[in-house]
Amino acid sequence: QQRLRVAGNFPADHTATKVMEIFKKEVEARTKGELQVDLFPNMQLGGAAENVDQVRSGTVFAIVTSIAYFTRIVPEYEAVSLPFLFSSREAAFRVMDGPVGKLFDERMAQKGFISLGYGELGFRHVTNNVRPITSSADFKGLKIRLQPNEVHLDTFRALGANPVAMDVKEVYSAMQQGVLDGHENPYNIIASRRFNEVQKHLSDTGHFYDFINAAANKRLFERLSKPQQEAVMASMKEAMTWQRAEAAREDERWRQQLVKAGMTFTPITPQGRADFRRSTAGVVESLKKRIDPKLIEAVVTEATK
Amino acid sequence: MTWLVIIVFCVLAFAGMPLAFALGFASLAALYAADFELVMMAQRMLHAVDNFPLMAIPLFMLAGELMVKAGMMERLVAFANSLVGRVHGGLAHVTIIAGTILASVSGAAVASASALGSALVPALRKHYPDSFNCAVIASAANLGPVIPPSNAMIVYALMAGSSVSVGGLFMAGIVPGVLLALGFIGIASFVSWRRKYPPTGEAFNARNAWVQFRKAHIILFMPIIVVGGIIGGVFTATEGAAIAVVYSGVVGLLVTRKLRLSDLPGCLFRAAVTASMVGALIALAATVTFLLTVDMVPQQMADWVKSMTADPMVFVLLTMLLLVVVGMFMESNAAYIMLVPLFVPIADAFGLDPLWFGFLFMFNLVIGMMTPPVGVLFFVMSGITRVPMGAIIRESMPFVIFQFVMLLLCVAFPSIVTALPRALGF
Amino acid sequence: MTQGVSAAEAAPPPGDNGWPPIWPAIRRWVEALDRVSMVVIVLAMAAMTLMVSLQVFWRYVLSSSIDSADEVSRLFFVWVIFLAIPHGIKYAVHVGIDLLVMNLSPRNKERLFRLVCVASAVLMAAIFWAAWVATLDKWQELMPTLPITAGIYYVAVLICAAHSFIHLVLHAWLGSRIWEGRLS
Ligand code: NA
Ligand code: NA
C-alpha cells in the first residue's frame, strides 16, 4: 500500500476540488487499494505557487491548479492564453487534446512534471464599477487588475485599459475602496471570492479561456508500476471528463447567481466582440517574439478549425 | 508525529531557545520521524514570508523609526499631554485612541503593534513602566483586525466559501471594536489610578494646547493622509504603509529638519532586523502548520467537536474553547486556513448565523495573538522594548481577560455583532 | 539570542585576555560579512519602499502601472526578512521564553545558552540543505513578468541559513558575550 498526496487551491465547493475527490475514489478502486490518495484541497498545503514547488520536489505527488502557475515553467502555455482565441470550450479542448497538447506534455516532462489532463476554469469576464462595457471604447482608462502575465497585460493595454498587476489578496479591498475600477475572472471565481459585493457591472467579454490542469511529479509517477500509472492516468481522465461537462453546465448558473446578487449584466454584441478582436490583433505578434511562432500558428489553426 | 512536535517544541522553548527556532527544530524532528523530504521546509519558509500584505510590517516599523528620529512623536505626545495631562493614564488613553485610529487604516495587529510600539514607546517610557506600555500597545494594536479593514476577516471569508460576506463581517466588527477600545481605556485608567502613576502633564490650558497643536499639526495630518488615501481609493492598506514611510521621511527631512540623510541607513536596518523577528516566526511556524495538516490534526479536532454535542450553543462554546487552545499555540492565519473550511459547514448545519459565528471565530483567534506561550503581539513588543515576555504577559492579563469577557458577551448577546450588519442589509 | 546574559555574570571566556588568539581575525571577517549583508538589507529595504510608493504614483498620477511592481517588491521583502534574521541572532532580537532560564546560575545559564546555539546551528544546517535543493529545483522557472529566474527568492533563504549558522557556531563556541553592541 502506498499513499499519494494531492494538493489543490480551489474552494471546497469548486469543481476542481471535486476532481480531486473523483480522482481519489477512482485510483483507490482501480488499484484495489494499493494506492491510497490523501487530499489537501483549499490551500491546506499553501497557495498554488507553493504547491507547484512541492510537486516539483516530490513532497506532494500531484496538484490540481490553473495552468497560469505553469506558464513560467512551460512558456508555450502562453499560446493558449491569447485573447479571443477560442470561440467555444469545444475548440479549447480540441487544442488541448490534440497534437498541441502532446507538445505541452513533452515540455512539462522536460521540466519534471507529468501532465495528467486539463479541465475548465472558464472564460474570463471583466467586471468594473465605472460603466457597462460594450465596446473597446468603454475600456478607456479603467484600472483593471490582471494576473501577472504578459499576454494578459498586453491585451488590456491594447483595449485601452490601464492594467494593474496586484496581489490577489489585495484585490477585494482595492475594488471596494476604488483603488481599482475592476478585474477579470471566470464567473465562478468572481462568485466564490465574493467580488460581486464590490463590483457593479459585469459583461460576458470572455476575453481569455482558462484551463485547470493536473500535474504529477515525474520521478514519483515513474516509480509506480505500469498498471498503477495507467490507473492514475485513467482516473484523472475520468475526473476531468466529468469536470468539463459539469463546469459547462454550472457556468450559466454562476452568471445568474451574480446577477441575482445585484450585478448589472451587459452582454457583448457580435459587433462589440469583433471590435475587441480588431483591437487586440497585435498581441499575437509580440508573443511570437517570445515563443516559437510555429507553435502559435498550430494553436490558432487548431482553434479555428 | 503531532506529539513529537509539541514535546520537542516545549522542551526547547523552556530551555530558552528563541521560539521561532524551537518551532523549526520541532518540525525538523517530526520531518525526520515521519520520513519527509527536508526540502519542504525551505518551501514553507519562503512562501509563508512571500506574502504582499506582510510587507506592511517592516514598512510601519520603518515609519515608526523615522517618526521618532524626526522628533514627530515628541510633538504629538506633547500635544496629547496638553489635553489629558491631568487624567489618570492620560497617555495610555492617547495610545489606545491612536490604536483605534490606526485600526481603521491597518488590517493587521502585528503591523499596528510595530507602528505604535516604535513610535510611542520612547515617549511613554518617560511616564509609565515599559511592561505596562507593552500591554497597552498590544491591546490597542489588537483592535486592528477587529475594526475594519481587517485582513483576518478577508482570510476568514475566503476560507468560509459562499456563506459569509466580507462586507458583512467588516460591519460586524465595528460595535465590538468600539466597546473594546472603551474598555481598554477604562482598564488603563484604573491601573494608573491604583498604582498612583503621576499625571503626565500640566492641567489643561487652552493657550498651551493651541501652541502644542501648532507644533503637532503636521504629524496629525499623517493618519488623515493615510486613512484618507485608503478610503479615497488612492492606495491599498499595504501601500498606505509605504506612503506613511514617505510622509514621515519628507516631514523629518524638510519640516522638523531633525532627520538627516545619514540617519536613513540605520533606520532602514533597524526596521528590517526588528521585522525579521516576526518574519522568522511566520516562516518557521509555517513548517509546523504543514505537518499538523498532513497529520490531519485539524480534521480530528473538527470531528471531536462534532461528536460531542447536538446542541448548537454547546457546539459554539466547545468551538470557542478549542480556539482558545489553538490561539495559544498557533499563528492565527495558519489557523484560519486549516480550521475554517472544517468548522463552517458544521456551523451551517447547526443553523447558526454565519456572520455571528464568523466574527466569534475570528475574534477568538485575534485574542490568541495575546495569549501565551505563542502570542505574536508579545513577541513584537518584546522585540521593540526588550522587556522579558513574562512581564509583558503579566501586565497584559487584565486586557486579555477583558477581551475574553467581550467574547462571552458576543456569544450571549449576538446582536452586539449582528445588529449593525443586518441593519445595513448584509 | 534572548537569554544572552549580562557581561558581569557570564562565565569567564577562554584564553589569557578572554578570547582565543584567533578570535580577532575571525571577528574581522565576520564583521566584514555582516557589513556586506547590512548594505544589501538597506538597499533592498529602500528599494521595496520605493517600489510600493512608485506603484501608487504610477497608478494614481500617471494612470499606468509597473507590471513587475508586485513581484519585485515581494522579492525585496523576502530578501530583507531572510537576510536580517542572522543579524537578529547577533543582536538578540529573536524572542523566547525566559521564565525557567532566569532561575539558573550564571554558569549554567551560559552552558544552556551554548547548547541552544548548537541546536539552532543544526537547524540552520538543515535549512541550508533544504534551501539548496529548493533553489536548484526552482532555477528553471522564471519570475512572472521578468526574464529572471524565480530561484532567487530561495537564494535569500540559503543566505539566511548560512549566515545564521556562522553566528550560531561562534556563539556556541565563545558564548553569549562576543557582540557587545545593541541594535538601538
Ligand atoms: Na482594521
Ligand atoms: Na497565543
Side-chain angles (χ1 to χ4, degrees), chain B residues 143-194:
Chain B
L143 296 169
V146 178
I147 294 174
S150 164
N151 292 347
M153 288 174 182
I154 293 173
V155 175
Y156 179 93
L158 180 61
M159 300 317 295
S162 43
S163 66
V164 186
S165 95
V166 178
L169 215 44
F170 275 7
M171 294 305 123
I174 292 179
V175 174
V178 171
L179 291 177
L180 278 175
L182 293 175
F184 291 158
I185 288 178
I187 294 173
S189 279
F190 181 75
V191 172
S192 314
W193 171 73
R194 272 289 295 275

Short mmCIF file of all heavy atoms in Angstrom, two decimals, chain B residues 143-194:
data_model
loop_
_atom_site.label_atom_id
_atom_site.label_comp_id
_atom_site.label_asym_id
_atom_site.label_seq_id
_atom_site.Cartn_x
_atom_site.Cartn_y
_atom_site.Cartn_z
N LEU B 143 -6.93 45.90 18.25
CA LEU B 143 -8.15 46.44 17.63
C LEU B 143 -8.04 46.36 16.10
O LEU B 143 -9.06 46.39 15.41
CB LEU B 143 -8.36 47.89 18.05
CG LEU B 143 -8.62 48.13 19.54
CD1 LEU B 143 -8.55 49.61 19.87
CD2 LEU B 143 -9.98 47.56 19.93
N GLY B 144 -6.81 46.29 15.60
CA GLY B 144 -6.57 46.30 14.15
C GLY B 144 -7.43 45.33 13.37
O GLY B 144 -8.12 45.72 12.43
N PRO B 145 -7.41 44.04 13.72
CA PRO B 145 -8.21 43.09 12.95
C PRO B 145 -9.68 43.07 13.34
O PRO B 145 -10.47 42.44 12.65
CB PRO B 145 -7.56 41.74 13.27
CG PRO B 145 -6.83 41.94 14.54
CD PRO B 145 -6.45 43.38 14.62
N VAL B 146 -10.08 43.74 14.44
CA VAL B 146 -11.50 43.74 14.83
C VAL B 146 -12.24 44.87 14.13
O VAL B 146 -13.34 44.69 13.61
CB VAL B 146 -11.63 43.87 16.37
CG1 VAL B 146 -13.10 43.91 16.77
CG2 VAL B 146 -10.93 42.72 17.06
N ILE B 147 -11.61 46.07 14.12
CA ILE B 147 -12.21 47.21 13.44
C ILE B 147 -11.82 47.16 11.96
O ILE B 147 -10.65 46.95 11.64
CB ILE B 147 -11.71 48.52 14.09
CG1 ILE B 147 -12.22 48.62 15.53
CG2 ILE B 147 -12.15 49.73 13.27
CD1 ILE B 147 -11.67 49.78 16.31
N PRO B 148 -12.76 47.30 11.03
CA PRO B 148 -12.41 47.20 9.61
C PRO B 148 -11.50 48.35 9.14
O PRO B 148 -11.58 49.41 9.76
CB PRO B 148 -13.77 47.26 8.91
CG PRO B 148 -14.68 47.95 9.88
CD PRO B 148 -14.19 47.59 11.25
N PRO B 149 -10.66 48.14 8.11
CA PRO B 149 -10.48 46.92 7.33
C PRO B 149 -9.73 45.86 8.13
O PRO B 149 -8.99 46.20 9.05
CB PRO B 149 -9.62 47.38 6.15
CG PRO B 149 -8.82 48.50 6.69
CD PRO B 149 -9.74 49.20 7.66
N SER B 150 -9.92 44.61 7.79
CA SER B 150 -9.33 43.54 8.56
C SER B 150 -8.85 42.42 7.66
O SER B 150 -9.63 41.80 6.96
CB SER B 150 -10.37 43.01 9.54
OG SER B 150 -9.97 41.77 10.04
N ASN B 151 -7.54 42.18 7.67
CA ASN B 151 -7.01 41.07 6.89
C ASN B 151 -7.57 39.75 7.39
O ASN B 151 -7.85 38.84 6.60
CB ASN B 151 -5.48 41.03 6.98
CG ASN B 151 -4.84 42.20 6.28
OD1 ASN B 151 -5.50 42.92 5.54
ND2 ASN B 151 -3.57 42.42 6.54
N ALA B 152 -7.74 39.66 8.71
CA ALA B 152 -8.23 38.40 9.28
C ALA B 152 -9.62 38.09 8.74
O ALA B 152 -9.91 36.94 8.38
CB ALA B 152 -8.26 38.51 10.81
N MET B 153 -10.49 39.11 8.66
CA MET B 153 -11.85 38.87 8.16
C MET B 153 -11.82 38.47 6.68
O MET B 153 -12.60 37.62 6.25
CB MET B 153 -12.70 40.11 8.34
CG MET B 153 -13.06 40.39 9.80
SD MET B 153 -13.90 41.96 9.96
CE MET B 153 -14.13 42.04 11.74
N ILE B 154 -10.94 39.08 5.92
CA ILE B 154 -10.85 38.73 4.50
C ILE B 154 -10.44 37.27 4.35
O ILE B 154 -11.03 36.52 3.58
CB ILE B 154 -9.87 39.68 3.78
CG1 ILE B 154 -10.44 41.10 3.75
CG2 ILE B 154 -9.58 39.19 2.36
CD1 ILE B 154 -9.50 42.15 3.22
N VAL B 155 -9.43 36.86 5.13
CA VAL B 155 -8.98 35.47 5.06
C VAL B 155 -10.10 34.54 5.51
O VAL B 155 -10.38 33.52 4.88
CB VAL B 155 -7.72 35.26 5.93
CG1 VAL B 155 -7.34 33.79 5.95
CG2 VAL B 155 -6.57 36.09 5.41
N TYR B 156 -10.79 34.92 6.59
CA TYR B 156 -11.89 34.08 7.09
C TYR B 156 -12.95 33.89 6.01
O TYR B 156 -13.35 32.77 5.71
CB TYR B 156 -12.52 34.69 8.35
CG TYR B 156 -13.66 33.84 8.87
CD1 TYR B 156 -13.44 32.87 9.83
CD2 TYR B 156 -14.95 33.97 8.34
CE1 TYR B 156 -14.46 32.06 10.27
CE2 TYR B 156 -15.99 33.15 8.77
CZ TYR B 156 -15.74 32.21 9.74
OH TYR B 156 -16.76 31.39 10.16
N ALA B 157 -13.41 35.01 5.44
CA ALA B 157 -14.50 34.93 4.46
C ALA B 157 -14.07 34.10 3.25
O ALA B 157 -14.85 33.33 2.69
CB ALA B 157 -14.92 36.32 4.03
N LEU B 158 -12.80 34.24 2.87
CA LEU B 158 -12.29 33.48 1.74
C LEU B 158 -12.34 31.99 2.03
O LEU B 158 -12.79 31.19 1.21
CB LEU B 158 -10.85 33.93 1.44
CG LEU B 158 -10.16 33.25 0.28
CD1 LEU B 158 -10.92 33.52 -1.00
CD2 LEU B 158 -8.74 33.75 0.15
N MET B 159 -11.92 31.61 3.23
CA MET B 159 -11.87 30.20 3.56
C MET B 159 -13.26 29.64 3.84
O MET B 159 -13.48 28.44 3.71
CB MET B 159 -10.98 29.96 4.79
CG MET B 159 -9.53 30.38 4.64
SD MET B 159 -8.77 29.97 3.06
CE MET B 159 -8.79 28.19 3.12
N ALA B 160 -14.20 30.51 4.24
CA ALA B 160 -15.53 30.03 4.61
C ALA B 160 -16.38 29.72 3.37
O ALA B 160 -17.44 29.13 3.50
CB ALA B 160 -16.24 31.06 5.48
N GLY B 161 -15.92 30.13 2.17
CA GLY B 161 -16.71 29.87 0.98
C GLY B 161 -17.88 30.83 0.87
O GLY B 161 -17.76 31.99 1.29
N SER B 162 -19.02 30.34 0.36
CA SER B 162 -20.02 31.28 -0.09
C SER B 162 -20.96 31.78 1.01
O SER B 162 -21.83 32.60 0.74
CB SER B 162 -20.84 30.65 -1.22
OG SER B 162 -21.13 29.32 -0.88
N SER B 163 -20.82 31.34 2.25
CA SER B 163 -21.85 31.69 3.23
C SER B 163 -21.60 33.02 3.95
O SER B 163 -22.50 33.54 4.59
CB SER B 163 -22.01 30.58 4.26
OG SER B 163 -20.86 30.45 5.04
N VAL B 164 -20.40 33.57 3.88
CA VAL B 164 -20.09 34.78 4.64
C VAL B 164 -19.63 35.89 3.71
O VAL B 164 -18.83 35.67 2.81
CB VAL B 164 -18.95 34.51 5.66
CG1 VAL B 164 -18.75 35.73 6.54
CG2 VAL B 164 -19.28 33.31 6.50
N SER B 165 -20.13 37.12 3.93
CA SER B 165 -19.67 38.23 3.11
C SER B 165 -18.63 39.05 3.86
O SER B 165 -18.75 39.27 5.07
CB SER B 165 -20.84 39.12 2.70
OG SER B 165 -20.97 40.19 3.59
N VAL B 166 -17.59 39.45 3.16
CA VAL B 166 -16.53 40.23 3.78
C VAL B 166 -17.09 41.55 4.32
O VAL B 166 -16.81 41.94 5.45
CB VAL B 166 -15.40 40.54 2.77
CG1 VAL B 166 -14.32 41.38 3.42
CG2 VAL B 166 -14.80 39.26 2.24
N GLY B 167 -17.94 42.20 3.51
CA GLY B 167 -18.51 43.47 3.94
C GLY B 167 -19.32 43.30 5.22
O GLY B 167 -19.20 44.10 6.15
N GLY B 168 -20.11 42.24 5.29
CA GLY B 168 -20.91 41.99 6.47
C GLY B 168 -20.04 41.76 7.70
O GLY B 168 -20.29 42.30 8.78
N LEU B 169 -18.99 41.00 7.51
CA LEU B 169 -18.06 40.72 8.60
C LEU B 169 -17.37 42.01 9.06
O LEU B 169 -17.18 42.23 10.26
CB LEU B 169 -17.03 39.69 8.11
CG LEU B 169 -16.49 38.65 9.09
CD1 LEU B 169 -17.59 38.04 9.93
CD2 LEU B 169 -15.73 37.58 8.34
N PHE B 170 -17.01 42.86 8.09
CA PHE B 170 -16.41 44.15 8.44
C PHE B 170 -17.34 44.92 9.37
O PHE B 170 -16.94 45.41 10.42
CB PHE B 170 -16.17 44.99 7.17
CG PHE B 170 -14.88 44.69 6.46
CD1 PHE B 170 -14.08 43.65 6.85
CD2 PHE B 170 -14.46 45.49 5.40
CE1 PHE B 170 -12.89 43.37 6.19
CE2 PHE B 170 -13.29 45.23 4.73
CZ PHE B 170 -12.50 44.17 5.12
N MET B 171 -18.62 45.00 8.96
CA MET B 171 -19.57 45.77 9.75
C MET B 171 -19.78 45.15 11.13
O MET B 171 -19.97 45.85 12.12
CB MET B 171 -20.92 45.86 9.02
CG MET B 171 -20.87 46.65 7.72
SD MET B 171 -20.21 48.30 8.02
CE MET B 171 -18.82 48.34 6.92
N ALA B 172 -19.69 43.80 11.17
CA ALA B 172 -19.89 43.10 12.44
C ALA B 172 -18.84 43.51 13.46
O ALA B 172 -19.09 43.48 14.67
CB ALA B 172 -19.85 41.59 12.22
N GLY B 173 -17.66 43.93 13.00
CA GLY B 173 -16.57 44.22 13.92
C GLY B 173 -16.65 45.59 14.57
O GLY B 173 -15.98 45.85 15.57
N ILE B 174 -17.47 46.50 14.02
CA ILE B 174 -17.41 47.89 14.46
C ILE B 174 -17.85 48.06 15.92
O ILE B 174 -17.11 48.61 16.75
CB ILE B 174 -18.24 48.79 13.53
CG1 ILE B 174 -17.56 48.85 12.16
CG2 ILE B 174 -18.38 50.19 14.11
CD1 ILE B 174 -18.28 49.69 11.13
N VAL B 175 -19.04 47.54 16.26
CA VAL B 175 -19.55 47.73 17.62
C VAL B 175 -18.64 47.07 18.66
O VAL B 175 -18.20 47.72 19.61
CB VAL B 175 -21.01 47.24 17.73
CG1 VAL B 175 -21.49 47.30 19.17
CG2 VAL B 175 -21.91 48.08 16.84
N PRO B 176 -18.32 45.77 18.48
CA PRO B 176 -17.41 45.16 19.46
C PRO B 176 -16.06 45.90 19.52
O PRO B 176 -15.50 46.04 20.61
CB PRO B 176 -17.21 43.74 18.93
CG PRO B 176 -18.38 43.47 18.07
CD PRO B 176 -18.78 44.78 17.49
N GLY B 177 -15.58 46.41 18.39
CA GLY B 177 -14.30 47.12 18.38
C GLY B 177 -14.33 48.37 19.23
O GLY B 177 -13.42 48.63 20.03
N VAL B 178 -15.41 49.15 19.07
CA VAL B 178 -15.52 50.39 19.85
C VAL B 178 -15.66 50.06 21.34
O VAL B 178 -15.01 50.68 22.19
CB VAL B 178 -16.71 51.23 19.34
CG1 VAL B 178 -16.98 52.39 20.28
CG2 VAL B 178 -16.44 51.72 17.93
N LEU B 179 -16.47 49.03 21.65
CA LEU B 179 -16.63 48.63 23.06
C LEU B 179 -15.28 48.21 23.65
O LEU B 179 -14.95 48.55 24.78
CB LEU B 179 -17.63 47.48 23.17
CG LEU B 179 -19.09 47.84 22.87
CD1 LEU B 179 -19.97 46.60 22.93
CD2 LEU B 179 -19.60 48.90 23.84
N LEU B 180 -14.50 47.49 22.85
CA LEU B 180 -13.17 47.07 23.31
C LEU B 180 -12.31 48.28 23.63
O LEU B 180 -11.66 48.34 24.68
CB LEU B 180 -12.47 46.22 22.24
CG LEU B 180 -12.83 44.75 22.16
CD1 LEU B 180 -12.12 44.12 20.96
CD2 LEU B 180 -12.42 44.03 23.43
N ALA B 181 -12.30 49.26 22.72
CA ALA B 181 -11.45 50.44 22.92
C ALA B 181 -11.86 51.15 24.21
O ALA B 181 -11.00 51.53 25.02
CB ALA B 181 -11.57 51.39 21.72
N LEU B 182 -13.17 51.31 24.44
CA LEU B 182 -13.63 51.97 25.66
C LEU B 182 -13.20 51.18 26.89
O LEU B 182 -12.72 51.75 27.88
CB LEU B 182 -15.16 52.13 25.62
CG LEU B 182 -15.68 53.10 24.56
CD1 LEU B 182 -17.21 53.08 24.52
CD2 LEU B 182 -15.16 54.51 24.82
N GLY B 183 -13.35 49.86 26.83
CA GLY B 183 -12.95 49.02 27.95
C GLY B 183 -11.46 49.14 28.25
O GLY B 183 -11.06 49.25 29.41
N PHE B 184 -10.65 49.15 27.19
CA PHE B 184 -9.20 49.28 27.38
C PHE B 184 -8.88 50.60 28.08
O PHE B 184 -8.04 50.66 28.98
CB PHE B 184 -8.47 49.24 26.04
CG PHE B 184 -8.49 47.89 25.37
CD1 PHE B 184 -8.28 47.79 23.99
CD2 PHE B 184 -8.71 46.73 26.09
CE1 PHE B 184 -8.30 46.55 23.36
CE2 PHE B 184 -8.72 45.49 25.47
CZ PHE B 184 -8.52 45.41 24.10
N ILE B 185 -9.55 51.67 27.68
CA ILE B 185 -9.31 52.97 28.30
C ILE B 185 -9.66 52.90 29.78
O ILE B 185 -8.90 53.36 30.65
CB ILE B 185 -10.14 54.07 27.59
CG1 ILE B 185 -9.54 54.35 26.21
CG2 ILE B 185 -10.20 55.34 28.42
CD1 ILE B 185 -10.29 55.37 25.39
N GLY B 186 -10.78 52.23 30.09
CA GLY B 186 -11.17 52.08 31.49
C GLY B 186 -10.12 51.32 32.28
O GLY B 186 -9.74 51.76 33.38
N ILE B 187 -9.63 50.23 31.73
CA ILE B 187 -8.63 49.43 32.46
C ILE B 187 -7.37 50.25 32.68
O ILE B 187 -6.80 50.26 33.78
CB ILE B 187 -8.30 48.14 31.67
CG1 ILE B 187 -9.53 47.24 31.61
CG2 ILE B 187 -7.14 47.40 32.31
CD1 ILE B 187 -9.36 46.03 30.70
N ALA B 188 -6.93 50.97 31.63
CA ALA B 188 -5.71 51.76 31.75
C ALA B 188 -5.87 52.82 32.83
O ALA B 188 -4.94 53.06 33.63
CB ALA B 188 -5.37 52.41 30.40
N SER B 189 -7.03 53.46 32.90
CA SER B 189 -7.29 54.46 33.94
C SER B 189 -7.21 53.83 35.31
O SER B 189 -6.56 54.35 36.21
CB SER B 189 -8.70 55.05 33.77
OG SER B 189 -8.69 56.02 32.79
N PHE B 190 -7.89 52.68 35.44
CA PHE B 190 -7.95 52.03 36.74
C PHE B 190 -6.54 51.66 37.22
O PHE B 190 -6.16 51.96 38.35
CB PHE B 190 -8.84 50.78 36.65
CG PHE B 190 -8.98 50.06 37.94
CD1 PHE B 190 -9.78 50.57 38.96
CD2 PHE B 190 -8.30 48.87 38.17
CE1 PHE B 190 -9.90 49.90 40.16
CE2 PHE B 190 -8.42 48.19 39.37
CZ PHE B 190 -9.21 48.71 40.37
N VAL B 191 -5.78 51.03 36.34
CA VAL B 191 -4.43 50.61 36.72
C VAL B 191 -3.57 51.82 37.09
O VAL B 191 -2.88 51.82 38.11
CB VAL B 191 -3.77 49.80 35.58
CG1 VAL B 191 -2.31 49.52 35.89
CG2 VAL B 191 -4.52 48.50 35.35
N SER B 192 -3.66 52.90 36.32
CA SER B 192 -2.86 54.09 36.59
C SER B 192 -3.25 54.71 37.93
O SER B 192 -2.41 55.20 38.69
CB SER B 192 -3.04 55.13 35.50
OG SER B 192 -2.96 54.56 34.25
N TRP B 193 -4.57 54.69 38.20
CA TRP B 193 -5.05 55.27 39.45
C TRP B 193 -4.59 54.42 40.64
O TRP B 193 -4.06 54.94 41.63
CB TRP B 193 -6.58 55.34 39.38
CG TRP B 193 -7.23 55.71 40.67
CD1 TRP B 193 -7.26 56.93 41.28
CD2 TRP B 193 -7.96 54.83 41.53
NE1 TRP B 193 -7.95 56.87 42.45
CE2 TRP B 193 -8.40 55.58 42.64
CE3 TRP B 193 -8.29 53.46 41.46
CZ2 TRP B 193 -9.14 55.03 43.68
CZ3 TRP B 193 -9.03 52.91 42.49
CH2 TRP B 193 -9.45 53.69 43.59
N ARG B 194 -4.72 53.07 40.51
CA ARG B 194 -4.33 52.19 41.60
C ARG B 194 -2.85 52.31 41.89
O ARG B 194 -2.41 52.31 43.04
CB ARG B 194 -4.65 50.74 41.24
CG ARG B 194 -6.04 50.29 41.60
CD ARG B 194 -6.20 50.13 43.11
NE ARG B 194 -5.37 49.07 43.65
CZ ARG B 194 -5.74 47.79 43.69
NH1 ARG B 194 -6.91 47.42 43.23
NH2 ARG B 194 -4.93 46.87 44.19
#
